[in-house]
């Protein structure tokens, strides 16, 4: 079956611009989570969506937002980009809620560079 | 504060040996712990999940132990191969909350032929 698809794979943006990243989870997976990965901080949780509702949110500023559509596809948006937003953004899907103890299936990520 | 610690130094071993990676945590009441493999420029790949009431889990050449008294998980790869070279991440889900996994920084494993 198809894995988690993230688009685009690479992106270069200028400070102050905004960006939208897309994630298509594995078919049937209802939970989609987003993580930011940087060499300095490792993997940091951004937010989780389940059935179109944001269920959990990490400690990121309001410039980071997301949404999930009825087909479980998710987008995340970063407004007013800063140099420090340069990172690998990873989307992960799982079958049910985390209390079920399923592992994540990650996409390959979107490499965002802010110049 | 809550912490998950993995050895930041790379682990170098010879092909055929057993690699053992460590994940220590503090100030967590764990529900379960996961291990992932990540190759450069790629997303992590799920390997194993172990629950807080399980001592050991195995999958092919992989073995994970979970000691909630020592607050430690060990991840073993037996008969290691150069293709096992990657960064290995542990991720802990705490009970009583959202269960969202918090990831360690990972340990790089290099298997030499």
């Amino acid at each position: 079956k198809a894995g988690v698809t993230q688009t685009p794979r690479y992106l270069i943006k200028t400070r102050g611009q905004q960006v939208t990243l897309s994630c298509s989870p594995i078919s049937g997976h209802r939970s989609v989570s987003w993580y930011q990965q940087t060499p300095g901080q490792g993997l940091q949780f951004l937010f989780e969506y389940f059935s179109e509702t944001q269920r959990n949110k990490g400690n990121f500023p309001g410039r980071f937002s997301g949404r999930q559509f009825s087909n479980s596809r998710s987008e995340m948006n970063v407004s007013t980009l800063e140099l420090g937003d340069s990172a690998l953004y990873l989307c992960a899907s799982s079958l049910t809620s985390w209390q079920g103890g399923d592992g994540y299936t990650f996409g390959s990520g979107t490499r965002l560079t802010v110049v | 504060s809550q912490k998950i610690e993995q050895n930041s130094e790379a682990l170098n071993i010879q092909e055929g040996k057993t690699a053992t990676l460590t994940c220590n945590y503090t100030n967590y009441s764990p529900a379960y712990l996961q291990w992932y493999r990540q190759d450069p420029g790629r997303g992590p790949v799920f390997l194993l999940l172990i629950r807080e009431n399980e001592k050991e889990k195995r999958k092919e050449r992989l073995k994970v132990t979970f000691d909630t008294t020592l607050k430690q998980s060990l991840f073993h790869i037996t008969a290691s191969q150069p293709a096992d070279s990657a960064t290995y991440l542990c991720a802990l889900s705490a009970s009583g909350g959202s269960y969202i996994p918090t990831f360690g920084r990972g340990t790089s494993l290099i298997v030499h032929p």
Side-chain angles (χ1 to χ4, degrees), chain B residues 20-89:
Chain B
T20 299
L21 305 173
T22 305
C23 177
N24 294 303
Y25 61 92
T26 54
N27 296 322
Y28 272 99
S29 179
Y32 31 79
L33 187 144
Q34 305 172 69
W35 284 89
Y36 289 80
R37 168 190 172 134
Q38 186 173 25
D39 293 286
R42 311 292 294 182
V45 174
F46 172 70
L47 297 174
L48 281 167
L49 181 149
I50 187 165
R51 298 177 191 276
E52 54 88 20
N53 60 351
E54 298 174 317
K55 297 292 185 191
E56 182 179 299
K57 210 114 182 239
R58 292 175 186 260
K59 179 182 173 183
E60 297 171 356
R61 295 184 296 113
L62 309 180
K63 184 177 86 170
V64 171
T65 63
F66 197 11
D67 189 328
T68 55
T69 301
L70 290 178
K71 300 186 189 304
Q72 181 181 80
S73 175
L74 298 178
F75 176 78
H76 307 272
I77 305 176
T78 57
S80 58
Q81 306 162 1
D84 294 327
S85 299
T87 296
Y88 290 86
L89 305 163

Side-chain angles (χ1 to χ4, degrees), chain B residues 6-14 19-22 84-88 105-112:
Chain B
Q6 295 185 256
N7 198 336
S8 58
E9 283 186 25
L11 177 63
N12 287 272
I13 64 167
Q14 286 298 125
T20 299
L21 305 173
T22 305
D84 294 327
S85 299
T87 296
Y88 290 86
R105 298 277 188 95
T107 298
S108 174
L109 172 66
I110 303 167
V111 182
H112 299 275

Side-chain angles (χ1 to χ4, degrees), chain A residues 9-10 33 35 37 39-45 48 56 88 90 97-109 111, chain B residues 32 34 36 38-49 51 87 89 91 93 96-105:
Chain A
R9 282 284 280 132
Y10 301 94
S33 297
Y35 282 82
Q37 188 174 33
Q41 297 296 319
L43 273 157
Q44 300 286 307
F45 172 71
E48 182 214 7
N56 291 288
L88 181 66
L90 291 160
S97 70
W98 266 104
Q99 295 184 20
D102 301 319
Y104 277 140
T105 302
F106 279 91
S108 293
R111 171 71 63 186
Chain B
Y32 31 79
Q34 305 172 69
Y36 289 80
Q38 186 173 25
D39 293 286
R42 311 292 294 182
V45 174
F46 172 70
L47 297 174
L48 281 167
L49 181 149
R51 298 177 191 276
T87 296
L89 305 163
S93 291
S98 68
Y99 294 85
I100 295 292
T102 300
F103 283 80
R105 298 277 188 95

Side-chain angles (χ1 to χ4, degrees), chain A residues 2-97:
Chain A
V4 177
T5 303
Q6 289 189 248
T7 56
R9 282 284 280 132
Y10 301 94
L11 209 47
I12 300 175
K13 288 287 189 178
T14 304
R15 267 183 304 175
Q17 286 187 311
Q18 72 155 19
V19 67
T20 299
L21 312 181
S22 179
C23 171
S24 293
I26 287 176
S27 177
H29 281 197
R30 296 167 63 191
S31 172
V32 175
S33 297
W34 288 88
Y35 282 82
Q36 180 196 68
Q37 188 174 33
T38 59
Q41 297 296 319
L43 273 157
Q44 300 286 307
F45 172 71
L46 282 156
F47 24 67
E48 182 214 7
Y49 286 87
F50 185 82
S51 294
E52 301 179 65
T53 301
Q54 186 182 88
R55 193 161 57 176
N56 291 288
K57 189 176 189 305
N59 294 324
F60 278 81
R63 299 185 298 106
F64 292 81
S65 63
R67 59 178 176 169
Q68 186 180 33
F69 301 96
S70 59
N71 62 358
S72 292
R73 190 176 71 85
S74 178
E75 288 182 346
M76 69 161 280
N77 183 277
V78 188
S79 62
T80 320
L81 284 165
E82 300 176 359
L83 294 178
D85 297 333
S86 296
L88 181 66
Y89 289 87
L90 291 160
C91 166
S93 76
S94 59
L95 186 59
T96 58
S97 70

